[in-house]
Amino acid sequence: MKNSLRILLIEDDTIEVMKFNRVVKTLELPHQIIEAANGEEALALLENKNELPNIIVLDLNMPKINGIEFLKILKQHAELKYIPAIILTTSNNTRDVLECYRIGIAGYIVKPLKYEDYVTRIQALLLYWSHNEIISELE
């Protein structure tokens, strides 16, 4: 793996957070996961400019500030708008997908029902971003 990533995981479901962490641990990936339970908490974490994540993985359906609202705020910040944001959600609603890409996301992944499929998708996602050139440029 080329780069060890700092990943901001924005997810309000504790089981989903545990599942994501378990995949990273099981695959023995060297990534650091920073957790936020909602968009509001994530924005507070992003105020620390010395510890910015390399990528943001977020759910759409969250309390306080949902995923789409968070993305709109993120993309307005000059220092934060280039951090790749990847949606990881249960929503396969075409309007959600199109709106997220219109805002400027880097990817959209629908959470599969089978755990094995989930592992495969998370592994591919993290492998891609650990080799992506923009990660090196933003550090």
Side-chain angles (χ1 to χ4, degrees):
M1 193 151 292
K2 187 174 180 185
N3 290 312
S4 176
L5 300 171
R6 279 184 317 280
I7 303 163
L8 175 54
L9 176 63
I10 311 171
E11 172 63 69
D12 66 315
D13 186 327
T14 306
I15 292 172
E16 289 295 329
V17 172
M18 289 171 43
K19 186 166 64 169
F20 190 91
N21 280 301
R22 182 175 40 191
V23 169
V24 172
K25 184 177 179 181
T26 301
L27 295 173
E28 298 179 353
L29 301 174
H31 307 309
Q32 175 190 4
I33 301 170
I34 305 149
E35 300 170 10
N38 57 59
E40 191 174 89
E41 191 177 309
L43 289 171
L45 288 170
L46 290 169
E47 288 178 11
N48 181 358
K49 303 298 186 235
N50 295 325
E51 292 293 321
L52 290 178
N54 300 110
I55 64 171
I56 298 171
V57 177
L58 72 148
D59 191 15
L60 286 183
N61 305 309
M62 297 181 293
K64 297 189 180 185
I65 298 175
N66 70 35
I68 290 176
E69 292 167 335
F70 171 82
L71 287 169
K72 288 176 180 177
I73 294 167
L74 181 77
K75 295 303 180 181
Q76 291 175 358
H77 284 272
E79 296 172 326
L80 304 176
K81 68 181 177 181
Y82 296 109
I83 300 172
I86 300 99
I87 304 299
L88 179 62
T89 188
T90 56
S91 174
N92 62 358
N93 182 313
T94 303
R95 285 184 305 192
D96 286 343
V97 175
L98 293 174
E99 178 64 8
C100 289
Y101 276 109
R102 187 192 67 72
I103 294 169
I105 61 164
Y108 195 105
I109 299 172
V110 176
K111 295 174 189 172
L113 295 176
K114 291 175 56 180
Y115 181 73
E116 297 79 19
D117 295 338
Y118 181 86
V119 171
T120 300
R121 288 184 189 181
I122 298 305
Q123 183 177 26
L125 165 74
L126 298 178
L127 183 63
Y128 173 78
W129 286 106
S130 69
H131 284 78
N132 193 287
E133 295 304 320
I134 194 167
I135 300 302
S136 299
E137 294 300 318
L138 293 176
E139 293 201 301

